[in-house]
Amino acid sequence: MHLHRHSISLRRLCRTSIVFQLLLISGFWVAGEAIVRVTGLPVPGAIVGMLIVLALLSTGKLSLHTVQRGARWFLAEMLLFFVPAVLAVLDHPEFLGMLGLKILAVIVFSTVMVMVVTAAVIDVCYRWDVARKGVGHAE
C-alpha cells in the first residue's frame, strides 16, 4: 500500500512538473549520446534519444502525458537555442554577401527536404496504422 501511494505521487509528479519532464527528456538525450559513444553509431545522440522515446511511446511503456508539457516547452522556446547562431552572423560580415546567400539556400533546401520526408514518413505510418487496425474500411 505504501509503495502504491509513492507510485501514484510519482506519476502525478511526472504529469504535472515541467521541470521533471524537461529532465526526463534531457535524460533520454543523454542516454542516446551514451549509446552513440559506446557503439560508435554514425548518428547524433539526440536522434537515438528520440528513437528511444518513440519506442517507449509506441509500446505504451511511456505515457504521452509524461513528456507532453516538457516537449511543448522545448518547442515554444526553440528560438533561444538558435540565438548563438544569430550572434555568430554578426561577428562574420561575409555571411551577409554571396556566401551567406549560398548558405541560406542550403538551409532552406535542407529544411524543405526534412519537412517533405517527415510528412511522407508520417503519411506512410498513418496509412499503415489505419490498414493494420482496419479503421475506415467499414462501409
Side-chain angles (χ1 to χ4, degrees):
M1 178 89 163
H2 186 66
L3 183 62
H4 179 67
R5 199 174 303 146
H6 284 298
S7 173
I8 291 173
S9 63
L10 181 62
R11 270 191 244 146
R12 186 173 294 128
L13 174 69
C14 293
R15 291 178 182 208
T16 59
S17 172
I18 237 176
V19 173
F20 182 82
Q21 291 184 9
L22 292 173
L23 289 172
L24 184 63
I25 292 169
S26 298
F28 286 121
W29 170 53
V30 169
E33 287 289 337
I35 290 170
V36 165
R37 289 180 192 230
V38 168
T39 61
L41 288 172
V43 179
I47 301 297
V48 174
M50 269 197 325
L51 290 174
I52 294 169
V53 171
L54 178 63
L56 291 172
L57 286 170
S58 64
T59 60
K61 304 270 187 210
L62 181 67
S63 168
L64 180 62
H65 299 293
T66 305
V67 292
Q68 188 173 22
R69 293 179 78 199
R72 283 188 178 159
W73 183 87
F74 273 127
L75 288 172
E77 303 303 328
M78 193 178 290
L79 184 60
L80 291 176
F81 299 111
F82 294 108
V83 168
V86 172
L87 293 177
V89 170
L90 297 177
D91 290 337
H92 298 280
E94 64 270 14
F95 289 148
L96 299 175
M98 187 52 100
L99 177 64
L101 287 176
K102 290 177 183 178
I103 292 172
L104 180 64
V106 168
I107 290 171
V108 169
F109 177 74
S110 63
T111 301
V112 168
M113 290 307 298
V114 166
M115 292 171 73
V116 166
V117 169
T118 301
V121 168
I122 288 172
D123 186 54
V124 167
C125 289
Y126 177 75
R127 290 173 190 260
W128 173 76
D129 191 45
V130 167
R132 185 176 60 93
K133 290 180 180 175
V135 177
H137 294 335
E139 294 184 27

Coordinates of all heavy atoms in Angstrom, one line a residue, residues 45-138:
G45 N 23.4 11.6 -31.1 CA 22.8 11.0 -29.9 C 21.4 11.5 -29.7 O 20.6 10.8 -29.1
A46 N 21.1 12.7 -30.1 CA 19.7 13.3 -29.9 C 18.7 12.4 -30.7 O 17.6 12.2 -30.3 CB 19.7 14.7 -30.3
I47 N 19.1 12.0 -31.9 CA 18.3 11.2 -32.7 C 18.0 9.8 -32.1 O 16.9 9.3 -32.0 CB 18.9 11.0 -34.1 CG1 19.1 12.3 -34.8 CG2 18.0 10.0 -35.0 CD1 17.8 13.1 -35.1
V48 N 19.1 9.2 -31.5 CA 18.9 7.9 -30.8 C 18.0 8.1 -29.6 O 17.1 7.3 -29.3 CB 20.3 7.4 -30.4 CG1 20.2 6.1 -29.6 CG2 21.1 7.1 -31.6
G49 N 18.2 9.2 -28.9 CA 17.3 9.5 -27.7 C 15.9 9.7 -28.2 O 15.0 9.2 -27.5
M50 N 15.6 10.3 -29.3 CA 14.3 10.5 -29.8 C 13.7 9.1 -30.2 O 12.5 8.8 -30.0 CB 14.2 11.4 -31.0 CG 14.0 12.8 -30.7 SD 13.5 13.9 -32.1 CE 14.3 13.3 -33.5
L51 N 14.5 8.3 -30.8 CA 14.1 6.9 -31.1 C 13.7 6.1 -29.9 O 12.7 5.3 -29.9 CB 15.1 6.2 -32.0 CG 15.3 6.7 -33.4 CD1 16.5 6.0 -34.1 CD2 14.1 6.6 -34.2
I52 N 14.5 6.3 -28.8 CA 14.1 5.6 -27.5 C 12.8 6.1 -27.1 O 11.9 5.3 -26.7 CB 15.2 5.9 -26.5 CG1 16.5 5.2 -26.9 CG2 14.8 5.4 -25.1 CD1 17.7 5.7 -26.0
V53 N 12.5 7.4 -27.1 CA 11.2 8.0 -26.7 C 10.1 7.4 -27.6 O 9.1 7.0 -27.1 CB 11.3 9.5 -26.7 CG1 9.9 10.1 -26.4 CG2 12.2 10.0 -25.6
L54 N 10.4 7.4 -28.9 CA 9.4 6.9 -29.8 C 9.0 5.5 -29.5 O 7.8 5.1 -29.5 CB 9.8 7.1 -31.2 CG 8.9 6.5 -32.3 CD1 7.6 7.3 -32.3 CD2 9.6 6.6 -33.7
A55 N 10.0 4.7 -29.3 CA 9.8 3.2 -29.0 C 9.0 3.1 -27.7 O 8.1 2.3 -27.6 CB 11.2 2.5 -28.9
L56 N 9.4 3.8 -26.7 CA 8.6 3.7 -25.4 C 7.2 4.2 -25.5 O 6.3 3.6 -24.9 CB 9.4 4.5 -24.3 CG 10.7 3.9 -23.9 CD1 11.4 4.9 -22.9 CD2 10.5 2.6 -23.2
L57 N 7.0 5.3 -26.3 CA 5.6 5.8 -26.5 C 4.8 4.8 -27.3 O 3.6 4.5 -27.0 CB 5.6 7.1 -27.2 CG 6.1 8.3 -26.4 CD1 6.3 9.5 -27.3 CD2 5.1 8.7 -25.3
S58 N 5.4 4.2 -28.3 CA 4.6 3.3 -29.2 C 4.3 2.0 -28.5 O 3.3 1.3 -28.8 CB 5.3 3.0 -30.5 OG 6.6 2.4 -30.3
T59 N 5.2 1.5 -27.5 CA 4.9 0.3 -26.8 C 4.0 0.5 -25.6 O 3.6 -0.4 -24.9 CB 6.2 -0.4 -26.4 OG1 6.9 0.5 -25.5 CG2 7.0 -0.8 -27.5
G60 N 3.8 1.8 -25.2 CA 2.9 2.1 -24.1 C 3.7 2.1 -22.8 O 3.1 2.3 -21.7
K61 N 5.0 2.0 -22.8 CA 5.8 2.0 -21.6 C 6.0 3.4 -21.1 O 6.3 3.6 -19.9 CB 7.2 1.4 -21.9 CG 7.2 0.0 -22.4 CD 7.3 -1.0 -21.3 CE 7.4 -2.3 -22.0 NZ 6.8 -3.4 -21.2
L62 N 5.8 4.4 -21.9 CA 5.9 5.8 -21.6 C 4.6 6.5 -22.0 O 4.2 6.3 -23.2 CB 7.1 6.4 -22.2 CG 7.3 7.9 -22.0 CD1 7.7 8.1 -20.5 CD2 8.4 8.4 -22.9
S63 N 4.0 7.2 -21.1 CA 2.7 7.9 -21.5 C 3.0 9.2 -22.1 O 4.0 9.9 -21.7 CB 1.9 8.1 -20.2 OG 0.8 9.0 -20.5
L64 N 2.2 9.6 -23.1 CA 2.4 10.9 -23.7 C 2.3 12.0 -22.7 O 3.1 13.0 -22.8 CB 1.4 11.1 -24.8 CG 1.4 12.4 -25.6 CD1 2.7 12.5 -26.3 CD2 0.3 12.5 -26.6
H65 N 1.5 11.9 -21.7 CA 1.3 12.9 -20.7 C 2.6 13.1 -19.8 O 2.8 14.1 -19.2 CB 0.1 12.6 -19.8 CG -1.2 12.5 -20.5 ND1 -1.7 13.7 -21.1 CD2 -2.0 11.5 -20.8 CE1 -2.9 13.3 -21.7 NE2 -3.0 12.0 -21.6
T66 N 3.4 12.1 -19.8 CA 4.6 12.2 -19.0 C 5.7 13.1 -19.6 O 6.5 13.6 -18.9 CB 5.2 10.7 -18.9 OG1 4.2 9.9 -18.4 CG2 6.4 10.7 -18.0
V67 N 5.6 13.3 -20.9 CA 6.6 14.2 -21.6 C 6.0 15.4 -22.4 O 6.7 16.2 -22.9 CB 7.5 13.4 -22.5 CG1 8.4 12.4 -21.8 CG2 6.7 12.7 -23.6
Q68 N 4.7 15.4 -22.4 CA 4.0 16.4 -23.2 C 4.3 17.8 -22.9 O 4.6 18.7 -23.7 CB 2.5 16.1 -23.2 CG 1.7 17.0 -24.2 CD 0.2 16.5 -24.2 OE1 -0.3 16.0 -23.2 NE2 -0.4 16.8 -25.3
R69 N 4.2 18.2 -21.6 CA 4.4 19.6 -21.2 C 5.9 20.0 -21.4 O 6.1 21.1 -21.9 CB 4.0 19.8 -19.8 CG 2.5 19.6 -19.6 CD 2.1 19.8 -18.1 NE 2.1 21.2 -17.8 CZ 2.1 21.7 -16.6 NH1 2.2 20.9 -15.6 NH2 2.1 23.0 -16.4
G70 N 6.8 19.1 -21.1 CA 8.2 19.4 -21.3 C 8.5 19.6 -22.8 O 9.3 20.5 -23.2
A71 N 7.9 18.7 -23.6 CA 8.2 18.8 -25.1 C 7.6 20.1 -25.6 O 8.2 20.8 -26.5 CB 7.6 17.6 -25.8
R72 N 6.4 20.5 -25.2 CA 5.8 21.8 -25.6 C 6.7 23.0 -25.2 O 6.8 23.9 -25.9 CB 4.4 21.9 -25.0 CG 3.4 21.1 -25.7 CD 2.0 21.4 -25.3 NE 1.1 20.6 -26.1 CZ -0.1 20.3 -25.7 NH1 -0.6 20.8 -24.5 NH2 -0.9 19.6 -26.4
W73 N 7.3 22.9 -24.0 CA 8.2 24.0 -23.6 C 9.4 24.1 -24.5 O 9.7 25.2 -24.9 CB 8.6 23.8 -22.1 CG 9.4 24.9 -21.6 CD1 9.0 26.1 -21.1 CD2 10.9 25.1 -21.7 NE1 10.1 26.9 -20.8 CE2 11.2 26.3 -21.2 CE3 11.9 24.2 -22.2 CZ2 12.5 26.7 -21.1 CZ3 13.2 24.7 -22.1 CH2 13.5 25.9 -21.6
F74 N 10.0 22.9 -24.8 CA 11.1 23.0 -25.7 C 10.8 23.6 -27.0 O 11.5 24.3 -27.6 CB 11.7 21.5 -25.9 CG 12.7 21.1 -24.9 CD1 12.6 19.9 -24.2 CD2 13.8 21.9 -24.6 CE1 13.5 19.6 -23.2 CE2 14.8 21.5 -23.7 CZ 14.6 20.3 -23.0
L75 N 9.6 23.2 -27.6 CA 9.2 23.7 -28.9 C 8.9 25.2 -28.8 O 9.2 26.0 -29.7 CB 7.9 23.0 -29.4 CG 8.2 21.6 -29.8 CD1 6.9 20.9 -30.1 CD2 9.1 21.5 -31.1
A76 N 8.3 25.7 -27.7 CA 8.0 27.1 -27.5 C 9.2 27.9 -27.4 O 9.3 29.1 -27.9 CB 7.1 27.3 -26.3
E77 N 10.2 27.4 -26.8 CA 11.5 28.2 -26.5 C 12.6 27.8 -27.5 O 13.7 28.1 -27.2 CB 11.9 27.9 -25.1 CG 10.9 28.3 -24.0 CD 10.4 29.7 -24.1 OE1 11.2 30.6 -24.5 OE2 9.2 30.0 -23.8
M78 N 12.3 27.2 -28.6 CA 13.3 26.7 -29.5 C 14.2 27.9 -30.1 O 15.3 27.7 -30.3 CB 12.6 26.0 -30.7 CG 13.6 25.2 -31.5 SD 12.8 24.3 -32.8 CE 12.0 23.0 -31.9
L79 N 13.6 29.1 -30.2 CA 14.3 30.2 -30.7 C 15.5 30.5 -29.8 O 16.6 30.9 -30.3 CB 13.4 31.4 -30.8 CG 14.1 32.7 -31.4 CD1 14.5 32.4 -32.9 CD2 13.1 33.8 -31.4
L80 N 15.4 30.3 -28.5 CA 16.5 30.5 -27.6 C 17.7 29.7 -28.0 O 18.9 30.1 -27.8 CB 16.1 30.3 -26.2 CG 15.1 31.2 -25.6 CD1 14.7 30.7 -24.2 CD2 15.7 32.6 -25.5
F81 N 17.5 28.5 -28.5 CA 18.6 27.6 -28.9 C 19.4 28.1 -30.1 O 20.5 27.7 -30.4 CB 18.1 26.2 -29.0 CG 17.5 25.6 -27.8 CD1 16.2 25.4 -27.7 CD2 18.3 25.4 -26.7 CE1 15.6 24.9 -26.6 CE2 17.7 24.9 -25.5 CZ 16.4 24.6 -25.5
F82 N 18.7 29.0 -30.9 CA 19.4 29.5 -32.1 C 20.0 30.9 -31.9 O 20.6 31.4 -32.8 CB 18.4 29.6 -33.3 CG 17.9 28.2 -33.7 CD1 16.6 27.8 -33.4 CD2 18.7 27.3 -34.3 CE1 16.2 26.5 -33.7 CE2 18.3 26.1 -34.7 CZ 17.0 25.7 -34.4
V83 N 19.9 31.5 -30.8 CA 20.4 32.8 -30.5 C 21.9 32.8 -30.8 O 22.5 33.7 -31.4 CB 20.0 33.3 -29.2 CG1 20.9 34.6 -28.8 CG2 18.6 33.7 -29.1
P84 N 22.7 31.8 -30.3 CA 24.2 31.9 -30.5 C 24.5 31.8 -32.0 O 25.5 32.5 -32.4 CB 24.7 30.6 -29.8 CG 23.7 30.3 -28.8 CD 22.4 30.8 -29.4
A85 N 23.7 31.2 -32.8 CA 24.0 31.1 -34.3 C 23.7 32.5 -34.9 O 24.5 32.9 -35.8 CB 23.1 30.1 -34.9
V86 N 22.7 33.2 -34.4 CA 22.4 34.5 -34.9 C 23.6 35.5 -34.5 O 24.0 36.3 -35.3 CB 21.1 35.0 -34.4 CG1 20.8 36.5 -34.8 CG2 20.0 34.2 -35.0
L87 N 24.0 35.4 -33.3 CA 25.1 36.3 -32.9 C 26.4 36.0 -33.7 O 27.2 36.9 -33.9 CB 25.4 36.1 -31.4 CG 24.2 36.6 -30.5 CD1 24.5 36.3 -29.0 CD2 24.0 38.0 -30.7
A88 N 26.6 34.7 -34.1 CA 27.8 34.4 -34.9 C 27.8 35.1 -36.2 O 28.8 35.5 -36.8 CB 27.9 32.9 -35.1
V89 N 26.6 35.3 -36.8 CA 26.5 36.0 -38.1 C 27.0 37.5 -37.9 O 27.6 38.0 -38.8 CB 25.0 36.0 -38.6 CG1 24.8 36.9 -39.8 CG2 24.6 34.6 -38.9
L90 N 26.7 38.1 -36.8 CA 27.1 39.5 -36.6 C 28.6 39.6 -36.5 O 29.2 40.6 -36.8 CB 26.5 40.0 -35.3 CG 25.0 40.1 -35.3 CD1 24.5 40.6 -33.9 CD2 24.5 41.0 -36.4
D91 N 29.3 38.5 -36.1 CA 30.8 38.5 -36.0 C 31.4 38.2 -37.3 O 32.6 38.4 -37.5 CB 31.2 37.5 -35.0 CG 30.9 37.9 -33.5 OD1 30.7 39.1 -33.3 OD2 30.9 37.0 -32.7
H92 N 30.7 37.7 -38.3 CA 31.2 37.4 -39.6 C 30.4 38.1 -40.7 O 29.4 37.5 -41.3 CB 31.2 35.9 -39.8 CG 32.0 35.1 -38.8 ND1 33.3 35.0 -38.9 CD2 31.6 34.5 -37.7 CE1 33.8 34.3 -37.9 NE2 32.8 34.0 -37.1
P93 N 30.8 39.3 -41.1 CA 30.0 40.0 -42.1 C 30.0 39.4 -43.5 O 29.2 39.7 -44.3 CB 30.7 41.4 -42.1 CG 32.0 41.2 -41.5 CD 31.9 40.0 -40.6
E94 N 31.0 38.4 -43.7 CA 31.0 37.8 -45.1 C 29.7 36.9 -45.3 O 29.4 36.6 -46.4 CB 32.2 36.9 -45.2 CG 32.3 35.7 -44.2 CD 33.1 36.1 -42.9 OE1 33.3 37.3 -42.6 OE2 33.4 35.1 -42.2
F95 N 29.0 36.6 -44.2 CA 27.8 35.8 -44.3 C 26.7 36.7 -44.9 O 25.6 36.2 -45.3 CB 27.3 35.3 -43.0 CG 28.2 34.2 -42.5 CD1 28.4 34.0 -41.1 CD2 28.8 33.3 -43.3 CE1 29.1 32.9 -40.6 CE2 29.6 32.2 -42.8 CZ 29.8 32.1 -41.5
L96 N 26.9 38.0 -45.0 CA 25.8 38.9 -45.5 C 26.0 39.1 -47.0 O 25.1 39.7 -47.6 CB 25.9 40.2 -44.8 CG 25.6 40.2 -43.3 CD1 25.8 41.5 -42.6 CD2 24.2 39.6 -42.9
G97 N 27.0 38.5 -47.6 CA 27.2 38.6 -49.1 C 26.7 37.3 -49.8 O 25.8 36.6 -49.4
M98 N 27.5 37.0 -50.9 CA 27.1 35.8 -51.7 C 27.3 34.5 -50.9 O 26.5 33.6 -51.1 CB 28.0 35.8 -52.9 CG 27.6 34.7 -53.9 SD 25.9 34.8 -54.4 CE 26.0 35.6 -55.9
L99 N 28.3 34.4 -50.0 CA 28.5 33.2 -49.2 C 27.2 33.0 -48.4 O 26.7 31.9 -48.2 CB 29.7 33.3 -48.4 CG 30.0 32.2 -47.4 CD1 30.2 30.9 -48.2 CD2 31.2 32.5 -46.5
G100 N 26.7 34.1 -47.8 CA 25.5 34.0 -47.0 C 24.3 33.5 -47.7 O 23.5 32.7 -47.3
L101 N 24.2 34.0 -49.0 CA 23.1 33.5 -49.8 C 23.2 32.0 -50.2 O 22.2 31.3 -50.2 CB 23.0 34.3 -51.1 CG 22.5 35.8 -51.0 CD1 22.6 36.5 -52.3 CD2 21.1 35.8 -50.4
K102 N 24.4 31.6 -50.4 CA 24.6 30.1 -50.7 C 24.2 29.3 -49.4 O 23.6 28.3 -49.5 CB 26.0 29.9 -51.1 CG 26.4 30.4 -52.5 CD 27.8 30.2 -52.8 CE 28.2 30.8 -54.1 NZ 29.7 30.6 -54.4
I103 N 24.7 29.8 -48.3 CA 24.4 29.0 -47.1 C 22.9 29.1 -46.8 O 22.3 28.1 -46.4 CB 25.2 29.7 -45.9 CG1 26.7 29.4 -46.0 CG2 24.7 29.1 -44.5 CD1 27.5 30.1 -45.0
L104 N 22.2 30.2 -47.0 CA 20.8 30.3 -46.9 C 20.1 29.4 -47.8 O 19.1 28.7 -47.4 CB 20.3 31.8 -47.1 CG 18.8 32.0 -46.9 CD1 18.4 31.7 -45.5 CD2 18.5 33.4 -47.4
A105 N 20.5 29.2 -49.0 CA 19.9 28.3 -50.0 C 20.0 26.9 -49.5 O 19.0 26.1 -49.6 CB 20.5 28.5 -51.4
V106 N 21.2 26.5 -49.0 CA 21.4 25.2 -48.4 C 20.4 24.9 -47.2 O 19.8 23.9 -47.1 CB 22.8 24.9 -48.1 CG1 23.0 23.7 -47.3 CG2 23.7 24.9 -49.3
I107 N 20.3 25.9 -46.4 CA 19.5 25.8 -45.2 C 18.0 25.6 -45.6 O 17.3 24.8 -45.1 CB 19.7 27.0 -44.2 CG1 21.1 26.9 -43.6 CG2 18.6 27.0 -43.2 CD1 21.4 28.2 -42.8
V108 N 17.6 26.5 -46.5 CA 16.2 26.4 -47.0 C 15.9 25.1 -47.6 O 14.9 24.4 -47.4 CB 15.8 27.6 -47.9 CG1 14.5 27.4 -48.6 CG2 15.8 28.9 -47.1
F109 N 16.8 24.7 -48.5 CA 16.6 23.4 -49.2 C 16.6 22.2 -48.3 O 15.7 21.4 -48.4 CB 17.7 23.2 -50.3 CG 17.6 21.9 -51.0 CD1 16.6 21.7 -52.0 CD2 18.5 20.8 -50.7 CE1 16.5 20.5 -52.6 CE2 18.4 19.6 -51.3 CZ 17.4 19.4 -52.3
S110 N 17.5 22.2 -47.3 CA 17.5 21.1 -46.4 C 16.3 21.1 -45.5 O 15.8 20.0 -45.1 CB 18.8 21.1 -45.6 OG 18.9 22.3 -44.8
T111 N 15.9 22.3 -45.1 CA 14.7 22.4 -44.2 C 13.4 21.8 -45.0 O 12.6 21.1 -44.4 CB 14.4 23.8 -43.8 OG1 15.6 24.3 -43.0 CG2 13.2 23.9 -42.9
V112 N 13.3 22.2 -46.2 CA 12.2 21.8 -47.1 C 12.3 20.2 -47.2 O 11.2 19.5 -47.1 CB 12.1 22.5 -48.4 CG1 11.2 21.8 -49.4 CG2 11.8 23.9 -48.2
M113 N 13.5 19.7 -47.5 CA 13.6 18.3 -47.6 C 13.2 17.5 -46.3 O 12.6 16.5 -46.4 CB 15.0 17.9 -48.1 CG 15.4 18.4 -49.5 SD 14.2 17.8 -50.7 CE 14.4 16.0 -50.6
V114 N 13.7 18.1 -45.2 CA 13.3 17.4 -43.9 C 11.8 17.4 -43.7 O 11.2 16.4 -43.3 CB 14.0 18.1 -42.8 CG1 13.4 17.7 -41.4 CG2 15.5 17.8 -42.8
M115 N 11.2 18.5 -44.1 CA 9.7 18.6 -43.9 C 9.0 17.6 -44.9 O 8.0 17.0 -44.5 CB 9.2 20.0 -44.2 CG 9.7 21.0 -43.1 SD 9.4 22.7 -43.5 CE 7.6 22.8 -43.3
V116 N 9.5 17.5 -46.1 CA 8.9 16.6 -47.1 C 9.0 15.2 -46.6 O 8.1 14.4 -46.6 CB 9.4 16.9 -48.5 CG1 9.1 15.7 -49.4 CG2 9.0 18.2 -49.0
V117 N 10.2 14.8 -46.2 CA 10.5 13.4 -45.8 C 9.7 13.1 -44.5 O 9.1 12.0 -44.4 CB 12.0 13.2 -45.6 CG1 12.3 11.9 -44.9 CG2 12.7 13.2 -46.9
T118 N 9.7 14.1 -43.6 CA 8.9 13.9 -42.4 C 7.4 13.7 -42.7 O 6.8 12.8 -42.2 CB 9.1 15.0 -41.4 OG1 10.4 15.2 -41.1 CG2 8.3 14.8 -40.1
A119 N 6.9 14.5 -43.6 CA 5.5 14.4 -43.9 C 5.2 13.0 -44.6 O 4.2 12.4 -44.4 CB 5.0 15.5 -44.9
A120 N 6.1 12.6 -45.5 CA 6.0 11.3 -46.2 C 6.0 10.1 -45.2 O 5.2 9.2 -45.3 CB 7.0 11.1 -47.2
V121 N 6.9 10.2 -44.2 CA 7.0 9.1 -43.2 C 5.8 9.1 -42.4 O 5.2 8.0 -42.1 CB 8.3 9.3 -42.4 CG1 8.3 8.4 -41.2 CG2 9.5 9.0 -43.2
I122 N 5.3 10.3 -41.9 CA 4.1 10.3 -41.1 C 2.9 9.8 -41.9 O 2.1 9.0 -41.4 CB 3.8 11.7 -40.6 CG1 4.8 12.1 -39.6 CG2 2.4 11.9 -40.1 CD1 4.8 13.5 -39.1
D123 N 2.8 10.1 -43.2 CA 1.7 9.7 -44.0 C 1.7 8.1 -44.2 O 0.7 7.5 -44.0 CB 1.7 10.3 -45.4 CG 0.5 10.0 -46.3 OD1 -0.6 10.2 -45.8 OD2 0.8 9.5 -47.4
V124 N 2.9 7.6 -44.5 CA 3.1 6.1 -44.6 C 2.7 5.4 -43.3 O 2.0 4.4 -43.3 CB 4.5 5.8 -45.1 CG1 4.8 4.3 -44.9 CG2 4.7 6.2 -46.5
C125 N 3.2 6.0 -42.2 CA 2.9 5.3 -40.9 C 1.4 5.4 -40.5 O 0.9 4.5 -40.0 CB 3.8 6.0 -39.8 SG 5.5 5.6 -39.9
Y126 N 0.8 6.6 -40.9 CA -0.6 6.7 -40.6 C -1.4 5.7 -41.4 O -2.3 5.0 -40.9 CB -1.1 8.1 -40.9 CG -2.6 8.3 -40.7 CD1 -3.1 8.4 -39.4 CD2 -3.4 8.4 -41.8 CE1 -4.5 8.5 -39.3 CE2 -4.8 8.5 -41.6 CZ -5.3 8.6 -40.4 OH -6.6 8.8 -40.2
R127 N -1.1 5.6 -42.7 CA -1.8 4.7 -43.6 C -1.6 3.2 -43.1 O -2.5 2.4 -43.2 CB -1.3 4.8 -45.0 CG -1.8 6.1 -45.7 CD -1.2 6.3 -47.0 NE -1.4 7.6 -47.6 CZ -2.4 7.9 -48.4 NH1 -3.2 7.0 -48.9 NH2 -2.5 9.1 -48.9
W128 N -0.4 2.9 -42.7 CA -0.1 1.6 -42.2 C -0.9 1.3 -40.9 O -1.4 0.2 -40.8 CB 1.4 1.4 -41.9 CG 1.8 0.1 -41.3 CD1 1.9 -1.1 -41.8 CD2 2.1 -0.1 -39.9 NE1 2.2 -2.0 -40.9 CE2 2.4 -1.4 -39.7 CE3 2.2 0.8 -38.8 CZ2 2.7 -1.9 -38.5 CZ3 2.5 0.3 -37.6 CH2 2.8 -1.1 -37.4
D129 N -0.9 2.3 -40.1 CA -1.7 2.1 -38.8 C -3.2 1.9 -39.1 O -3.8 1.1 -38.5 CB -1.5 3.3 -37.9 CG -2.0 3.1 -36.5 OD1 -1.8 2.0 -35.9 OD2 -2.6 4.0 -36.0
V130 N -3.7 2.7 -40.0 CA -5.1 2.6 -40.4 C -5.4 1.2 -41.0 O -6.4 0.6 -40.7 CB -5.6 3.7 -41.3 CG1 -6.9 3.5 -42.0 CG2 -5.6 5.1 -40.6
A131 N -4.5 0.8 -41.9 CA -4.7 -0.5 -42.5 C -4.6 -1.7 -41.5 O -5.3 -2.6 -41.6 CB -3.7 -0.7 -43.6
R132 N -3.7 -1.5 -40.6 CA -3.5 -2.5 -39.6 C -4.7 -2.6 -38.6 O -5.1 -3.7 -38.3 CB -2.2 -2.2 -38.8 CG -1.8 -3.3 -37.7 CD -0.5 -2.9 -37.1 NE -0.6 -1.7 -36.3 CZ -0.9 -1.6 -35.0 NH1 -1.2 -2.6 -34.3 NH2 -0.9 -0.4 -34.5
K133 N -5.2 -1.5 -38.3 CA -6.4 -1.5 -37.4 C -7.7 -1.8 -38.1 O -8.7 -2.1 -37.4 CB -6.5 -0.2 -36.6 CG -5.3 0.0 -35.6 CD -5.5 1.3 -34.9 CE -4.3 1.5 -33.9 NZ -4.4 2.8 -33.3
G134 N -7.7 -1.6 -39.4 CA -8.9 -1.8 -40.2 C -9.9 -0.6 -40.0 O -11.1 -0.8 -40.2
V135 N -9.4 0.5 -39.5 CA -10.3 1.7 -39.3 C -10.6 2.3 -40.7 O -9.7 2.5 -41.5 CB -9.6 2.7 -38.3 CG1 -10.5 3.9 -38.2 CG2 -9.4 2.0 -37.0
G136 N -11.8 2.7 -40.9 CA -12.1 3.5 -42.1 C -12.5 2.6 -43.2 O -12.9 3.1 -44.3
H137 N -12.5 1.3 -43.1 CA -12.8 0.4 -44.2 C -14.2 -0.1 -44.1 O -14.7 -0.9 -44.9 CB -11.8 -0.7 -44.3 CG -10.4 -0.3 -44.7 ND1 -10.2 0.8 -45.4 CD2 -9.2 -0.9 -44.5 CE1 -8.9 1.0 -45.6 NE2 -8.3 -0.1 -45.0
A138 N -14.9 0.2 -43.0 CA -16.3 -0.3 -42.8 C -17.2 0.6 -43.7 O -17.2 1.8 -43.6 CB -16.7 -0.2 -41.3

